[in-house]
PDB file of all heavy atoms in Angstrom:
ATOM      1  N   ALA B   2      32.953 -24.145  30.590  1.00 48.00           N
ATOM      2  CA  ALA B   2      34.416 -24.144  30.448  1.00 48.00           C
ATOM      3  C   ALA B   2      34.841 -22.911  29.679  1.00 48.00           C
ATOM      4  O   ALA B   2      34.398 -22.709  28.561  1.00 48.00           O
ATOM      5  CB  ALA B   2      34.868 -25.409  29.696  1.00 48.00           C
ATOM      6  N   SER B  29      26.250 -27.673   9.029  1.00 93.00           N
ATOM      7  CA  SER B  29      27.596 -28.234   8.976  1.00 93.00           C
ATOM      8  C   SER B  29      28.109 -28.310   7.546  1.00 93.00           C
ATOM      9  O   SER B  29      29.272 -28.052   7.269  1.00 93.00           O
ATOM     10  CB  SER B  29      27.585 -29.635   9.595  1.00 93.00           C
ATOM     11  OG  SER B  29      26.629 -30.434   8.934  1.00 93.00           O
ATOM     12  N   ARG B  35      32.007 -23.966   2.450  1.00 89.00           N
ATOM     13  CA  ARG B  35      32.352 -22.559   2.265  1.00 89.00           C
ATOM     14  C   ARG B  35      33.723 -22.201   2.849  1.00 89.00           C
ATOM     15  O   ARG B  35      34.403 -21.333   2.351  1.00 89.00           O
ATOM     16  CB  ARG B  35      31.263 -21.692   2.900  1.00 89.00           C
ATOM     17  CG  ARG B  35      31.396 -20.231   2.555  1.00 89.00           C
ATOM     18  CD  ARG B  35      30.079 -19.581   2.160  1.00 89.00           C
ATOM     19  NE  ARG B  35      28.953 -20.002   2.995  1.00 89.00           N
ATOM     20  CZ  ARG B  35      27.685 -19.680   2.731  1.00 89.00           C
ATOM     21  NH1 ARG B  35      27.399 -18.936   1.672  1.00 89.00           N
ATOM     22  NH2 ARG B  35      26.712 -20.081   3.511  1.00 89.00           N
ATOM     23  N   LEU B  52      29.450 -27.701  21.017  1.00 94.00           N
ATOM     24  CA  LEU B  52      29.313 -26.264  21.248  1.00 94.00           C
ATOM     25  C   LEU B  52      27.902 -25.926  21.736  1.00 94.00           C
ATOM     26  O   LEU B  52      27.712 -25.059  22.577  1.00 94.00           O
ATOM     27  CB  LEU B  52      29.618 -25.486  19.963  1.00 94.00           C
ATOM     28  CG  LEU B  52      31.106 -25.360  19.598  1.00 94.00           C
ATOM     29  CD1 LEU B  52      31.274 -24.818  18.187  1.00 94.00           C
ATOM     30  CD2 LEU B  52      31.826 -24.466  20.599  1.00 94.00           C
ATOM     31  N   GLN B  60      19.832 -23.956  18.365  1.00 91.00           N
ATOM     32  CA  GLN B  60      19.089 -24.376  17.185  1.00 91.00           C
ATOM     33  C   GLN B  60      17.701 -23.760  17.243  1.00 91.00           C
ATOM     34  O   GLN B  60      16.968 -24.000  18.196  1.00 91.00           O
ATOM     35  CB  GLN B  60      18.933 -25.886  17.181  1.00 91.00           C
ATOM     36  CG  GLN B  60      19.826 -26.579  16.188  1.00 91.00           C
ATOM     37  CD  GLN B  60      19.586 -28.054  16.189  1.00 91.00           C
ATOM     38  OE1 GLN B  60      19.432 -28.659  17.243  1.00 91.00           O
ATOM     39  NE2 GLN B  60      19.538 -28.637  15.008  1.00 91.00           N
ATOM     40  N   SER B  64      16.844 -29.585  13.238  1.00 83.00           N
ATOM     41  CA  SER B  64      17.190 -29.641  11.826  1.00 83.00           C
ATOM     42  C   SER B  64      17.045 -28.313  11.114  1.00 83.00           C
ATOM     43  O   SER B  64      16.643 -28.243   9.968  1.00 83.00           O
ATOM     44  CB  SER B  64      16.370 -30.709  11.124  1.00 83.00           C
ATOM     45  OG  SER B  64      15.560 -30.211  10.132  1.00 83.00           O
ATOM     46  N   GLN B  86      40.426  -3.770  10.517  1.00 87.00           N
ATOM     47  CA  GLN B  86      41.125  -2.487  10.575  1.00 87.00           C
ATOM     48  C   GLN B  86      40.385  -1.468   9.708  1.00 87.00           C
ATOM     49  O   GLN B  86      39.955  -1.795   8.606  1.00 87.00           O
ATOM     50  CB  GLN B  86      42.553  -2.645  10.029  1.00 87.00           C
ATOM     51  CG  GLN B  86      43.540  -3.216  11.019  1.00 87.00           C
ATOM     52  CD  GLN B  86      43.593  -2.399  12.305  1.00 87.00           C
ATOM     53  OE1 GLN B  86      43.008  -2.790  13.306  1.00 87.00           O
ATOM     54  NE2 GLN B  86      44.269  -1.264  12.271  1.00 87.00           N
ATOM     55  N   TYR B 123      23.542   0.946  10.963  1.00 92.00           N
ATOM     56  CA  TYR B 123      22.688   0.708  12.125  1.00 92.00           C
ATOM     57  C   TYR B 123      22.289   2.057  12.713  1.00 92.00           C
ATOM     58  O   TYR B 123      22.978   3.051  12.507  1.00 92.00           O
ATOM     59  CB  TYR B 123      23.437  -0.091  13.202  1.00 92.00           C
ATOM     60  CG  TYR B 123      23.830  -1.483  12.788  1.00 92.00           C
ATOM     61  CD1 TYR B 123      25.162  -1.859  12.749  1.00 92.00           C
ATOM     62  CD2 TYR B 123      22.867  -2.425  12.454  1.00 92.00           C
ATOM     63  CE1 TYR B 123      25.531  -3.151  12.375  1.00 92.00           C
ATOM     64  CE2 TYR B 123      23.235  -3.708  12.079  1.00 92.00           C
ATOM     65  CZ  TYR B 123      24.567  -4.068  12.040  1.00 92.00           C
ATOM     66  OH  TYR B 123      24.923  -5.327  11.669  1.00 92.00           O
ATOM     67  N   LEU B 151      17.986  37.101  30.348  1.00 74.00           N
ATOM     68  CA  LEU B 151      18.536  35.910  29.718  1.00 74.00           C
ATOM     69  C   LEU B 151      19.822  35.541  30.444  1.00 74.00           C
ATOM     70  O   LEU B 151      20.738  36.350  30.543  1.00 74.00           O
ATOM     71  CB  LEU B 151      18.827  36.195  28.244  1.00 74.00           C
ATOM     72  CG  LEU B 151      19.532  35.092  27.463  1.00 74.00           C
ATOM     73  CD1 LEU B 151      18.615  33.888  27.306  1.00 74.00           C
ATOM     74  CD2 LEU B 151      19.992  35.595  26.106  1.00 74.00           C
ATOM     75  N   LEU B 153      23.075  33.111  30.567  1.00 75.00           N
ATOM     76  CA  LEU B 153      23.862  32.223  29.724  1.00 75.00           C
ATOM     77  C   LEU B 153      24.974  31.611  30.549  1.00 75.00           C
ATOM     78  O   LEU B 153      25.715  32.322  31.223  1.00 75.00           O
ATOM     79  CB  LEU B 153      24.473  33.023  28.577  1.00 75.00           C
ATOM     80  CG  LEU B 153      23.432  33.588  27.632  1.00 75.00           C
ATOM     81  CD1 LEU B 153      23.946  34.843  26.964  1.00 75.00           C
ATOM     82  CD2 LEU B 153      23.062  32.550  26.597  1.00 75.00           C
ATOM     83  N   GLY B 171      12.074  43.178  39.404  1.00 66.00           N
ATOM     84  CA  GLY B 171      12.763  44.259  38.725  1.00 66.00           C
ATOM     85  C   GLY B 171      14.154  44.430  39.308  1.00 66.00           C
ATOM     86  O   GLY B 171      14.329  44.456  40.523  1.00 66.00           O
ATOM     87  N   ILE B 209      24.460  38.713  50.792  1.00 63.00           N
ATOM     88  CA  ILE B 209      23.753  39.372  51.883  1.00 63.00           C
ATOM     89  C   ILE B 209      24.382  40.736  52.178  1.00 63.00           C
ATOM     90  O   ILE B 209      23.707  41.696  52.540  1.00 63.00           O
ATOM     91  CB  ILE B 209      23.751  38.492  53.154  1.00 63.00           C
ATOM     92  CG1 ILE B 209      22.744  37.347  52.964  1.00 63.00           C
ATOM     93  CG2 ILE B 209      23.382  39.305  54.378  1.00 63.00           C
ATOM     94  CD1 ILE B 209      22.630  36.428  54.134  1.00 63.00           C
ATOM     95  N   ALA B 210      25.672  40.781  51.962  1.00 60.00           N
ATOM     96  CA  ALA B 210      26.373  42.059  52.151  1.00 60.00           C
ATOM     97  C   ALA B 210      25.685  43.177  51.374  1.00 60.00           C
ATOM     98  O   ALA B 210      25.554  44.297  51.852  1.00 60.00           O
ATOM     99  CB  ALA B 210      27.818  41.916  51.702  1.00 60.00           C
ATOM    100  N   GLY B 239      18.742   7.642  12.423  1.00 84.00           N
ATOM    101  CA  GLY B 239      18.660   6.473  11.560  1.00 84.00           C
ATOM    102  C   GLY B 239      17.897   5.327  12.183  1.00 84.00           C
ATOM    103  O   GLY B 239      18.182   4.175  11.899  1.00 84.00           O
ATOM    104  N   LEU B 244      15.252  -1.394  10.481  1.00 75.00           N
ATOM    105  CA  LEU B 244      14.255  -2.162   9.721  1.00 75.00           C
ATOM    106  C   LEU B 244      14.868  -2.852   8.516  1.00 75.00           C
ATOM    107  O   LEU B 244      14.260  -3.729   7.919  1.00 75.00           O
ATOM    108  CB  LEU B 244      13.132  -1.234   9.264  1.00 75.00           C
ATOM    109  CG  LEU B 244      12.372  -0.549  10.389  1.00 75.00           C
ATOM    110  CD1 LEU B 244      11.406   0.462   9.823  1.00 75.00           C
ATOM    111  CD2 LEU B 244      11.638  -1.566  11.221  1.00 75.00           C
ATOM    112  N   SER B 289      17.501  -4.206  30.275  1.00 66.00           N
ATOM    113  CA  SER B 289      16.626  -3.037  30.217  1.00 66.00           C
ATOM    114  C   SER B 289      15.685  -3.120  29.036  1.00 66.00           C
ATOM    115  O   SER B 289      16.061  -2.884  27.920  1.00 66.00           O
ATOM    116  CB  SER B 289      17.473  -1.774  30.121  1.00 66.00           C
ATOM    117  OG  SER B 289      18.849  -2.077  30.137  1.00 66.00           O
ATOM    118  N   ILE B 335      38.289  10.144  17.749  1.00 92.00           N
ATOM    119  CA  ILE B 335      38.462  11.360  16.952  1.00 92.00           C
ATOM    120  C   ILE B 335      37.606  12.482  17.508  1.00 92.00           C
ATOM    121  O   ILE B 335      38.026  13.637  17.581  1.00 92.00           O
ATOM    122  CB  ILE B 335      38.129  11.079  15.471  1.00 92.00           C
ATOM    123  CG1 ILE B 335      39.160  10.102  14.904  1.00 92.00           C
ATOM    124  CG2 ILE B 335      38.106  12.362  14.666  1.00 92.00           C
ATOM    125  CD1 ILE B 335      38.873   9.650  13.499  1.00 92.00           C
TER     126      ILE B 335
END
Side-chain angles (χ1 to χ4, degrees):
Chain B
S29 56
R35 190 135 41 188
L52 284 169
Q60 255 182 318
S64 118
Q86 279 304 101
Y123 296 119
L151 174 68
L153 295 153
I209 285 181
L244 299 173
S289 359
I335 294 175

